[in-house]
């Protein structure tokens, strides 16, 4: 049972991480999701970065039952807030590791 909970939590976290763009993206979205060895990279375009900032998606992610969720959610909101100050600001993040224990890096780009 514990393994199933961990897998479900990991799937929710990974889905939220990669699905952030899907929730705010329109047909003309330029969001890029790139598979990496052991993970993925998500590159939000300026419009999606603005959407993440305005809707505070990171706050929703912090409530997921995963040890990395709180840190990731707070970092996502902070990076989106910073990047949203610039017309072409965007956020790029990577998620590495097993699906039930993701880790990664986040970068706010101007």
């Amino acid at each position: 049972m514990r393994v199933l909970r961990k897998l479900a939590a990991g799937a929710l976290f990974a889905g939220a991480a990669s699905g952030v763009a899907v929730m705010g993206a329109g047909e003309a979205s330029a969001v890029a999701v790139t598979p990496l060895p052991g993970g993925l990279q998500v590159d939000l375009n300026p419009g999606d970065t603005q959407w993440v900032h305005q809707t505070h998606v990171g706050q929703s992610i912090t409530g997921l039952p995963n040890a990395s969720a709180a840190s990731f959610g707070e970092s996502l909101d902070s990076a989106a807030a910073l990047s949203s100050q610039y017309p072409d600001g965007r956020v790029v993040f990577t998620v590495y590791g097993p699906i039930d224990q993701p880790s990664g890096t986040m970068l706010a780009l101007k």
Side-chain angles (χ1 to χ4, degrees):
M1 184 76 157
R2 182 176 178 182
V3 172
L4 291 177
R5 273 196 319 243
K6 288 179 78 175
L7 287 174
L12 281 172
F13 180 78
S18 62
V20 161
V22 173
M23 294 188 312
E27 288 183 31
S29 178
V31 172
V33 178
T34 307
L36 300 171
L40 57 88
Q41 175 179 313
V42 178
D43 187 348
L44 302 178
N45 67 20
D48 291 324
T49 297
Q50 287 287 335
W51 180 84
V52 167
H53 170 59
Q54 293 167 356
T55 59
H56 304 285
V57 171
Q59 288 179 6
S60 297
I61 294 172
T62 61
L64 293 174
N66 184 289
S68 300
S71 174
F72 176 80
E74 291 171 10
S75 297
L76 179 62
D77 275 350
S78 294
L82 177 64
S83 293
S84 292
Q85 296 177 13
Y86 303 94
D88 293 329
R90 59 195 181 96
V91 172
V92 176
F93 62 88
T94 58
V95 179
Y96 291 104
I99 195 163
D100 67 327
Q101 297 175 355
S103 61
T105 60
M106 185 167 298
L107 173 64
L109 300 172
K110 174 183 170 203

